[in-house]
Amino acid sequence: MRQPRALPRLFGSLLLVAAAGICAIGAGPALSASTPRPLGQIVPAPASVRPGGDPYSLTPSTRIRVEGNSREGRQIGTYLAGILRPSTGYALPVTDGPAPGGIRLRLSAADRALGDEGYRLQSSPAGLTLTAHKPAGLFHAVQTLRQLLPAAVEKDTPRRGPWQVAGGTVTDTPRYAYRGAMLDVSRHFFTVDQVKRYVDQLALYKINKLHLHLSDDQGWRIAIDSWPRLATYGGSTQVGGGPGGSYTKAQYKEILGYAASRYLEVVPEIDMPGHTNAALASYAQLNCNGVAPPLYTGTDVGFSSLCVPKAVTYDFVDDVVRELAAMTPGRYLHIGGDEAHSTSHADYVAFMDKVQPIVAKYGKTVVGWHQLTGATPAKGALAQYWGLDGTGAEEKAQVARAARNGTGLILSPADRIYLDMKYTKDTPLGLDWAGFVEVRRAYDWDPGAYLPGAPASAVAGVEAPLWSETISTSDHIEFMAFPRVVGVAELGWSPASTHDWEAYRVRLAAQGPRMQALGIDFYRSPQVPWPSG
């Protein structure tokens, strides 16, 4: 996934351009401070927009009413109030009592058509109602409400209004259930607070999976009680020789809890049998020759491997998977499996045949990089495809064959949505082995039709990985992720019928002031008509 080497547009999506109220695309979104943002001018594009009527206005007397006796609803109401209070200066009490003219949050058992993550937003002068079947949908409705308010709502000090939401109804459900972003904390280590910051940024765009790459040649980042040197020694450095770091179990659970509060499911990854030098350096017995190699701080790949014939290897895997699974409430556990160049094909197949049942034993579903399809993927497993548009037909056919046989696909084509790829040759960060990936290239492809021979029904969703060979700060994360991850979020959420670059670039441009208000150091792509000033 890191080796160095060099649609038709549909009429329906054009309605989003009209809805955005754009006079001249090159001039950027032309909205005055007193003009409510059109309901369709959000990202990801909603499934259905029915504009109509006068806007809803937040006022100093507005209350947030949470209907029903729902702990999750109350938490979401409190979260919403926490976003709105600093910028508006309003009290916005959260209540389960009457709140005429206020914001209503409803969890409705009857609205099954909204599914686990869908919602309905209804806005009129009489009030604003957010309805969902499940709490995740209600949380996503709050993100839509945020985007419909002026960007200044994201500020942490009082600003002048008005705070209006255009009249009408948005009804919205996601295209894919899996909409992910991956953060590599192994090449460079990121603190709990840095991960939380990224979680908050992803949540605004309805990303619902956070894939944490917890181990690699350069560092082991999670405490394992039965093998303590993995973290204390294997986690003691990083690319370039910095201090590295690792998460205690309490810190890992803190990340999980925070992500869950934003309705992101954490997918932990322990990469194996390759990308394992940090583990091999920590325990000599994991090496076939019984000799521990030195810690590694470079960026080469493919040189390390667990010792497949040794029984202790599977004791190690069992212990790691058992402890990680016990801490992780989500469904998935990622076992890597890419770039195992130092493992023979026969050993690779034997290793995966032994390791996948261990994952199942501890109640998790296997996710692996698409090289897993060269072995026998477990029933229900997901293969994460990271090849290129130009990847060989034989490799693509292998993945497509597995998809036809029941293996689900997460699409992460490296020359489309690897967030560590440079935007252009002048980008100061990132790599270019998969080519340059500008904002349009990251957006302008269809996951449902991307892999020849793979049924559209096999596509579980999309994920944007951010590898950290050159990434070491939150500013680096933000510059490389934004705005490309916003487009990935739309690919995962929005109906295929809304997919249109010209319409998207206008809606993305309108996100510029919001990202600025949030302090996100995003890349100002010349392909996007960002508002002046």
Side-chain angles (χ1 to χ4, degrees):
M1 74 216 133
R2 298 163 295 279
Q3 65 192 70
R5 58 173 184 242
L7 276 176
R9 296 180 180 127
L10 300 178
F11 172 75
S13 63
L14 297 178
L15 298 178
L16 292 169
V17 177
I22 305 302
C23 297
I25 286 178
L31 293 174
S32 72
S34 60
T35 303
R37 187 174 303 280
L39 293 180
Q41 199 190 83
I42 63 171
V43 182
S48 171
V49 176
R50 193 175 73 236
D54 292 330
Y56 171 76
S57 296
L58 278 172
T59 71
S61 62
T62 297
R63 299 162 70 87
I64 298 173
R65 180 186 180 190
V66 180
E67 295 189 358
N69 186 23
S70 166
R71 178 180 60 84
E72 295 94 339
R74 183 82 183 193
Q75 290 171 339
I76 294 168
T78 301
Y79 166 85
L80 173 60
I83 290 170
L84 301 180
R85 285 170 181 156
S87 54
T88 64
Y90 302 159
L92 298 171
V94 180
T95 178
D96 55 7
I103 300 173
R104 299 167 61 211
L105 274 59
R106 299 177 59 244
L107 285 172
S108 170
D111 280 285
R112 293 185 179 87
L114 295 175
D116 289 347
E117 295 189 278
Y119 65 89
R120 185 167 56 251
L121 181 150
Q122 297 165 291
S123 172
S124 75
L128 192 146
T129 301
L130 309 179
T131 302
H133 183 54
K134 294 289 181 68
L138 200 58
F139 183 82
H140 296 323
V142 165
Q143 308 315 312
T144 291
L145 172 57
R146 285 172 70 179
Q147 290 193 35
L148 291 174
L149 288 164
V153 81
E154 309 294 351
K155 295 286 190 178
D156 56 8
T157 55
R159 305 287 161 142
R160 185 187 300 272
W163 306 104
Q164 294 186 320
V165 177
T169 301
V170 175
T171 305
D172 207 4
T173 55
R175 180 181 185 186
Y176 294 117
Y178 194 112
R179 305 177 307 280
M182 190 217 77
L183 183 61
D184 172 13
V185 299
S186 294
R187 272 35 180 285
H188 280 97
F189 181 68
F190 296 98
T191 66
V192 171
D193 285 344
Q194 287 176 307
V195 176
K196 286 181 175 180
R197 178 173 173 84
Y198 196 38
V199 164
D200 276 329
Q201 294 162 352
L202 296 172
L204 175 59
Y205 299 103
K206 304 183 177 73
I207 294 287
N208 70 349
K209 299 288 185 291
L210 175 65
H211 172 182
L212 287 178
H213 185 74
L214 291 169
S215 71
D216 214 298
D217 292 315
Q218 298 85 351
W220 186 284
R221 307 304 184 198
I222 181 68
I224 301 295
D225 292 340
S226 51
W227 299 76
R229 276 175 56 84
L230 291 171
T232 59
Y233 183 69
S236 65
T237 192
Q238 59 187 14
V239 166
S246 60
Y247 305 118
T248 66
K249 287 191 170 183
Q251 288 172 327
Y252 177 67
K253 289 178 180 178
E254 184 180 350
I255 291 171
L256 291 172
Y258 194 83
S261 76
R262 272 59 174 162
Y263 292 88
L264 275 80
E265 178 182 355
V266 172
V267 180
E269 179 188 355
I270 302 297
D271 205 347
M272 47 190 170
H275 289 284
T276 48
N277 192 80
L280 299 174
S282 301
Y283 288 96
Q285 62 265 44
L286 298 177
N287 296 271
C288 285
N289 64 2
V291 178
L295 293 170
Y296 183 67
T297 61
T299 59
D300 288 341
V301 300
F303 61 87
S304 60
S305 180
L306 292 171
C307 189
V308 173
K310 276 190 171 182
V312 69
T313 295
Y314 305 99
D315 294 336
F316 164 78
V317 171
D318 193 286
D319 287 338
V320 170
V321 169
R322 171 177 51 80
E323 292 192 35
L324 192 55
M327 290 187 284
T328 306
R331 291 162 286 178
Y332 302 110
L333 198 150
H334 203 303
I335 59 174
D338 67 308
E339 293 173 332
H341 305 321
S342 297
T343 312
S344 71
H345 177 69
D347 276 356
Y348 183 90
V349 171
F351 180 84
M352 290 302 178
D353 284 348
K354 291 181 179 180
V355 167
Q356 292 183 93
I358 294 173
V359 175
K361 179 171 71 170
Y362 294 111
K364 302 302 178 186
T365 297
V366 167
V367 185
W369 299 105
H370 74 260
Q371 283 73 20
L372 177 65
T373 61
T376 305
K379 183 178 181 181
L382 297 179
Q384 186 166 358
Y385 180 79
W386 61 275
L388 313 180
D389 285 7
T391 291
E394 185 176 343
E395 186 173 352
K396 287 182 175 179
Q398 173 184 288
V399 180
R401 187 163 52 251
R404 293 193 298 273
N405 289 333
T407 298
L409 299 180
I410 302 165
L411 294 180
S412 301
D415 56 342
R416 294 286 182 173
I417 57 173
Y418 261 33
L419 302 179
D420 54 304
M421 290 299 109
K422 292 175 178 288
Y423 293 95
T424 71
K425 65 180 178 59
D426 298 319
T427 306
L429 300 169
L431 306 172
D432 61 6
W433 60 262
F436 302 123
V437 181
E438 250 285 9
V439 173
R440 179 170 185 169
R441 182 164 183 81
Y443 175 80
D444 214 4
W445 60 286
D446 178 11
Y450 179 77
L451 197 64
S457 58
V459 178
V462 294
E463 181 180 289
L466 179 55
W467 302 102
S468 65
E469 285 93 338
T470 69
I471 311 300
S472 60
T473 70
S474 285
D475 278 348
H476 291 169
I477 292 173
E478 292 162 17
F479 183 78
M480 297 304 284
F482 291 91
R484 290 182 293 194
V485 76
V486 181
V488 177
E490 175 148 312
L491 290 174
W493 180 280
S494 301
S497 61
T498 67
H499 188 88
D500 180 89
W501 165 249
E502 295 300 337
Y504 171 70
R505 68 195 287 264
V506 170
R507 287 181 290 107
L508 178 60
Q511 294 297 309
R514 190 167 307 275
M515 289 189 284
Q516 285 182 294
L518 288 165
I520 296 174
D521 181 22
F522 66 97
Y523 167 63
R524 275 71 168 175
S525 170
Q527 297 180 339
V528 179
W530 307 108
S532 59

Coordinates of all heavy atoms in Angstrom, one line a residue, residues 462-507:
V462 N -15.9 3.2 1.2 CA -14.6 3.8 0.8 C -13.9 4.2 2.0 O -14.5 4.4 3.1 CB -14.9 5.0 -0.1 CG1 -15.5 4.6 -1.4 CG2 -15.8 6.0 0.6
E463 N -12.6 4.3 1.9 CA -11.7 4.8 3.0 C -10.5 5.5 2.5 O -9.9 5.1 1.5 CB -11.3 3.6 3.9 CG -10.4 4.1 5.1 CD -10.0 2.9 5.9 OE1 -10.8 2.3 6.6 OE2 -8.8 2.6 5.9
A464 N -10.2 6.7 3.1 CA -9.1 7.5 2.7 C -8.0 7.3 3.7 O -8.0 7.9 4.8 CB -9.5 9.0 2.6
P465 N -6.9 6.6 3.3 CA -5.8 6.4 4.2 C -4.8 7.6 4.2 O -4.6 8.2 3.2 CB -5.1 5.2 3.7 CG -6.1 4.5 2.8 CD -6.9 5.6 2.2
L466 N -4.3 7.9 5.4 CA -3.2 8.9 5.5 C -2.0 8.3 6.2 O -2.0 8.1 7.4 CB -3.7 10.1 6.3 CG -2.7 11.3 6.5 CD1 -2.2 11.8 5.2 CD2 -3.4 12.4 7.3
W467 N -1.1 7.9 5.3 CA 0.2 7.4 5.8 C 1.1 8.5 6.3 O 1.1 9.6 5.7 CB 0.9 6.5 4.8 CG 0.0 5.4 4.3 CD1 -0.8 5.4 3.2 CD2 -0.3 4.2 5.0 NE1 -1.5 4.2 3.1 CE2 -1.2 3.4 4.3 CE3 0.2 3.7 6.2 CZ2 -1.7 2.2 4.7 CZ3 -0.3 2.4 6.6 CH2 -1.2 1.7 5.9
S468 N 2.0 8.3 7.3 CA 2.6 9.4 7.9 C 4.1 9.4 7.8 O 4.8 9.9 8.7 CB 2.2 9.4 9.4 OG 2.7 8.2 10.1
E469 N 4.7 8.9 6.7 CA 6.1 9.0 6.6 C 6.6 10.4 6.6 O 7.6 10.7 7.2 CB 6.5 8.4 5.2 CG 6.5 6.9 5.1 CD 5.2 6.3 4.6 OE1 4.2 7.1 4.7 OE2 5.2 5.2 4.1
T470 N 5.8 11.4 6.1 CA 6.2 12.8 6.1 C 5.3 13.6 6.9 O 5.4 14.9 6.9 CB 6.2 13.3 4.6 OG1 4.8 13.4 4.2 CG2 7.0 12.5 3.7
I471 N 4.4 13.0 7.7 CA 3.3 13.7 8.4 C 3.6 13.6 9.9 O 3.7 12.5 10.4 CB 1.9 13.1 8.1 CG1 1.7 13.0 6.6 CG2 0.8 13.9 8.8 CD1 1.8 14.2 5.8
S472 N 3.8 14.7 10.6 CA 4.2 14.6 12.0 C 3.5 15.6 12.9 O 3.6 15.5 14.1 CB 5.7 14.8 12.2 OG 6.1 16.1 11.7
T473 N 2.6 16.4 12.4 CA 1.8 17.4 13.2 C 0.4 17.4 12.8 O 0.0 16.9 11.7 CB 2.4 18.8 13.1 OG1 2.1 19.3 11.7 CG2 3.9 18.9 13.3
S474 N -0.5 18.0 13.6 CA -1.9 18.2 13.2 C -2.0 19.1 12.0 O -2.9 18.8 11.1 CB -2.7 18.7 14.4 OG -2.9 17.8 15.4
D475 N -1.2 20.1 11.9 CA -1.3 20.9 10.7 C -1.0 20.1 9.4 O -1.6 20.3 8.4 CB -0.3 22.1 10.8 CG -0.8 23.2 11.6 OD1 -2.0 23.2 11.9 OD2 0.0 24.1 11.9
H476 N 0.0 19.2 9.5 CA 0.3 18.3 8.4 C -0.9 17.4 8.0 O -1.3 17.3 6.9 CB 1.5 17.4 8.7 CG 2.8 18.1 8.9 ND1 3.9 17.5 9.4 CD2 3.2 19.3 8.5 CE1 4.9 18.3 9.4 NE2 4.5 19.5 8.9
I477 N -1.5 16.8 9.1 CA -2.7 16.0 8.8 C -3.8 16.8 8.1 O -4.3 16.3 7.1 CB -3.3 15.5 10.2 CG1 -2.4 14.5 10.8 CG2 -4.7 14.9 10.0 CD1 -2.8 14.1 12.2
E478 N -4.1 18.0 8.6 CA -5.1 18.8 8.0 C -4.8 19.2 6.6 O -5.7 19.2 5.7 CB -5.4 20.0 8.9 CG -6.0 19.6 10.2 CD -5.9 20.7 11.3 OE1 -5.6 21.8 10.9 OE2 -6.0 20.3 12.5
F479 N -3.6 19.6 6.3 CA -3.2 20.1 5.0 C -3.4 19.0 4.0 O -3.8 19.2 2.8 CB -1.8 20.7 5.0 CG -1.4 21.3 3.7 CD1 -1.8 22.5 3.3 CD2 -0.6 20.6 2.8 CE1 -1.5 23.1 2.1 CE2 -0.2 21.1 1.6 CZ -0.6 22.4 1.2
M480 N -3.0 17.8 4.3 CA -3.0 16.7 3.4 C -4.4 16.1 3.3 O -4.8 15.6 2.2 CB -2.0 15.6 3.8 CG -0.5 16.1 3.7 SD 0.0 16.8 2.1 CE 0.2 15.2 1.1
A481 N -5.2 16.1 4.4 CA -6.5 15.5 4.3 C -7.6 16.4 3.7 O -8.5 16.0 3.0 CB -6.9 15.1 5.7
F482 N -7.5 17.7 4.0 CA -8.5 18.6 3.6 C -8.0 19.5 2.4 O -7.0 20.1 2.5 CB -8.9 19.5 4.8 CG -9.6 18.8 5.8 CD1 -9.0 18.2 6.9 CD2 -11.0 18.6 5.8 CE1 -9.6 17.5 7.9 CE2 -11.7 17.9 6.7 CZ -11.0 17.3 7.8
P483 N -8.8 19.6 1.4 CA -10.2 19.1 1.3 C -10.5 17.8 0.7 O -11.6 17.4 0.5 CB -10.8 20.2 0.4 CG -9.8 20.5 -0.6 CD -8.5 20.4 0.2
R484 N -9.4 16.9 0.4 CA -9.7 15.7 -0.3 C -10.6 14.8 0.5 O -11.5 14.1 -0.1 CB -8.4 15.0 -0.6 CG -7.6 15.7 -1.7 CD -6.3 15.0 -2.1 NE -5.3 15.0 -1.0 CZ -4.0 14.7 -1.2 NH1 -3.6 14.4 -2.4 NH2 -3.2 14.7 -0.2
V485 N -10.4 14.7 1.8 CA -11.3 13.7 2.6 C -12.7 14.1 2.5 O -13.6 13.3 2.7 CB -10.8 13.6 4.0 CG1 -11.1 14.9 4.9 CG2 -11.3 12.4 4.7
V486 N -13.0 15.4 2.3 CA -14.4 15.9 2.2 C -15.0 15.2 0.9 O -16.2 14.8 1.0 CB -14.5 17.4 2.1 CG1 -15.9 17.9 2.0 CG2 -13.8 18.0 3.3
G487 N -14.3 15.1 -0.2 CA -14.8 14.5 -1.4 C -15.0 13.0 -1.1 O -16.0 12.4 -1.7
V488 N -14.1 12.4 -0.4 CA -14.3 10.9 -0.1 C -15.5 10.7 0.7 O -16.3 9.8 0.5 CB -13.0 10.4 0.7 CG1 -13.2 8.9 1.1 CG2 -11.8 10.5 -0.2
A489 N -15.8 11.6 1.7 CA -17.0 11.5 2.5 C -18.2 11.6 1.6 O -19.2 10.8 1.8 CB -17.0 12.6 3.5
E490 N -18.2 12.4 0.6 CA -19.3 12.5 -0.3 C -19.5 11.3 -1.2 O -20.6 10.8 -1.4 CB -19.2 13.8 -1.2 CG -20.3 13.8 -2.3 CD -20.7 15.2 -2.6 OE1 -21.0 16.0 -1.7 OE2 -20.8 15.5 -3.9
L491 N -18.3 10.7 -1.7 CA -18.4 9.5 -2.4 C -19.1 8.4 -1.6 O -19.8 7.5 -2.1 CB -17.0 9.0 -2.8 CG -16.3 9.9 -3.9 CD1 -14.9 9.4 -4.1 CD2 -17.1 9.8 -5.2
G492 N -18.8 8.4 -0.3 CA -19.3 7.3 0.5 C -20.8 7.6 0.9 O -21.5 6.6 1.1
W493 N -21.2 8.8 1.0 CA -22.6 9.1 1.5 C -23.6 9.3 0.4 O -24.7 8.8 0.4 CB -22.5 10.3 2.4 CG -23.9 10.7 3.0 CD1 -24.8 11.4 2.3 CD2 -24.4 10.4 4.3 NE1 -26.0 11.5 3.1 CE2 -25.7 10.9 4.3 CE3 -23.9 9.6 5.4 CZ2 -26.5 10.7 5.5 CZ3 -24.7 9.5 6.5 CH2 -26.0 10.0 6.5
S494 N -23.3 10.2 -0.5 CA -24.3 10.7 -1.5 C -24.7 9.7 -2.6 O -23.9 8.9 -3.0 CB -23.7 12.0 -2.1 OG -23.4 12.9 -1.1
P495 N -25.9 9.9 -3.0 CA -26.4 9.0 -4.1 C -25.5 9.2 -5.4 O -25.0 10.4 -5.6 CB -27.8 9.5 -4.4 CG -28.2 10.2 -3.2 CD -27.0 10.8 -2.6
A496 N -25.3 8.2 -6.2 CA -24.5 8.3 -7.4 C -25.1 9.4 -8.3 O -24.4 10.1 -9.0 CB -24.5 7.0 -8.1
S497 N -26.4 9.6 -8.3 CA -27.0 10.6 -9.1 C -26.6 12.0 -8.8 O -26.8 12.9 -9.7 CB -28.6 10.5 -9.0 OG -29.0 10.8 -7.7
T498 N -26.0 12.3 -7.7 CA -25.6 13.6 -7.3 C -24.1 13.9 -7.7 O -23.6 15.0 -7.6 CB -25.7 13.9 -5.8 OG1 -24.8 13.1 -5.1 CG2 -27.1 13.7 -5.4
H499 N -23.5 12.9 -8.3 CA -22.0 13.0 -8.5 C -21.7 13.8 -9.7 O -22.0 13.4 -10.8 CB -21.5 11.6 -8.6 CG -20.0 11.5 -8.7 ND1 -19.2 11.4 -7.5 CD2 -19.1 11.6 -9.7 CE1 -17.9 11.5 -7.9 NE2 -17.8 11.6 -9.2
D500 N -21.2 15.0 -9.5 CA -20.9 15.9 -10.6 C -19.8 16.9 -10.1 O -20.0 17.6 -9.1 CB -22.1 16.7 -11.0 CG -21.8 17.6 -12.2 OD1 -21.9 17.2 -13.3 OD2 -21.4 18.8 -11.9
W501 N -18.6 16.9 -10.7 CA -17.5 17.7 -10.3 C -17.9 19.2 -10.2 O -17.6 19.9 -9.3 CB -16.3 17.5 -11.1 CG -15.3 18.5 -10.9 CD1 -14.9 19.5 -11.8 CD2 -14.5 18.7 -9.8 NE1 -13.9 20.3 -11.3 CE2 -13.6 19.8 -10.0 CE3 -14.4 18.1 -8.5 CZ2 -12.7 20.3 -9.1 CZ3 -13.5 18.6 -7.6 CH2 -12.6 19.7 -7.9
E502 N -18.5 19.7 -11.3 CA -18.8 21.1 -11.3 C -19.7 21.5 -10.2 O -19.6 22.6 -9.6 CB -19.4 21.5 -12.7 CG -18.5 21.3 -13.9 CD -17.2 22.1 -13.7 OE1 -17.2 23.2 -13.0 OE2 -16.2 21.7 -14.4
A503 N -20.7 20.7 -9.9 CA -21.6 21.0 -8.8 C -20.9 20.9 -7.4 O -21.0 21.7 -6.5 CB -22.8 20.1 -8.8
Y504 N -20.0 19.9 -7.3 CA -19.3 19.6 -6.1 C -18.3 20.7 -5.8 O -18.2 21.2 -4.6 CB -18.6 18.3 -6.1 CG -17.7 18.1 -5.0 CD1 -18.2 17.8 -3.7 CD2 -16.3 18.1 -5.2 CE1 -17.3 17.7 -2.6 CE2 -15.4 17.9 -4.1 CZ -15.9 17.7 -2.8 OH -15.1 17.6 -1.8
R505 N -17.6 21.2 -6.8 CA -16.6 22.2 -6.5 C -17.2 23.5 -5.9 O -16.5 24.2 -5.1 CB -15.7 22.5 -7.7 CG -16.4 23.1 -8.9 CD -15.7 23.1 -10.2 NE -14.5 23.9 -10.2 CZ -14.5 25.1 -10.8 NH1 -15.6 25.6 -11.3 NH2 -13.4 25.9 -10.8
V506 N -18.4 23.8 -6.3 CA -19.1 24.9 -5.8 C -19.5 24.7 -4.3 O -19.3 25.6 -3.5 CB -20.3 25.3 -6.6 CG1 -21.2 26.3 -6.0 CG2 -19.9 25.7 -8.0
R507 N -20.0 23.6 -4.0 CA -20.4 23.3 -2.6 C -19.1 23.2 -1.8 O -19.1 23.6 -0.6 CB -21.2 22.0 -2.6 CG -22.6 22.2 -3.1 CD -23.4 20.9 -3.0 NE -23.0 19.9 -3.9 CZ -22.3 18.8 -3.6 NH1 -22.0 18.5 -2.4 NH2 -22.0 17.9 -4.6

